Amino acid sequence: LFLDRSDAVELPIKFIPQNAGCYHCWILLKSSCDVRVYEIECVVNTDRAEAELEFVTPAYQPVIQDIPVNNMSRQEWKLEAILEGHGFYGPPLITVGLGETALYPLMFKPVAEC
């Protein structure tokens, strides 16, 4: 299938989300000899923010920080955690249900003063 740019028609869409989440839309295009329905899904993320966690604990004493993961979409999330750095532990997978907030338990267990 080859598209000829002269046959293309632009369909400008303006989308102004109020919150982060997953938004669905159906566009119905009709003519005298054709009907087409297009489904559009827009995923909106919040501005990327950096966070810093400071763990203070005696050597060999673990400390756990529960990190909230908020799923404002319309589908369940299965997330894989990849931890880098010595002494950090947490579950490799978490599931966050639609509209729910799950806590990811990040543990730091120092093996020496650092």
Side-chain angles (χ1 to χ4, degrees):
L1 177 67
F2 294 98
L3 280 179
D4 183 0
R5 295 284 297 168
S6 63
D7 292 341
V9 176
E10 289 188 27
L11 181 64
I13 298 173
K14 186 174 184 177
F15 175 65
I16 304 172
Q18 296 194 356
N19 296 305
C22 187
Y23 296 85
H24 294 272
C25 173
W26 291 269
I27 298 173
L28 174 66
L29 299 176
K30 294 192 294 185
S31 73
S32 59
C33 58
D34 193 14
V35 175
R36 295 176 189 222
V37 177
Y38 294 92
E39 181 179 0
I40 296 175
E41 178 180 281
C42 298
V43 177
V44 179
N45 297 314
T46 58
D47 290 338
R48 185 175 187 162
E50 291 187 25
E52 184 175 314
L53 298 175
E54 184 174 329
F55 292 93
V56 179
T57 186
Y60 305 105
Q61 297 296 314
V63 62
I64 296 175
Q65 173 69 53
D66 289 324
I67 300 172
V69 179
N70 190 8
N71 179 358
M72 296 188 302
S73 74
R74 294 183 183 176
Q75 60 189 16
E76 181 178 82
W77 288 351
K78 293 182 188 233
L79 304 174
E80 177 184 6
I82 301 172
L83 300 177
E84 296 179 359
H86 299 291
F88 289 94
Y89 304 93
L93 298 170
I94 65 167
T95 301
V96 186
L98 58 132
E100 293 181 356
T101 298
L103 298 177
Y104 181 82
L106 178 62
M107 180 174 66
F108 177 61
K109 185 176 181 182
V111 293
E113 285 187 35
C114 59

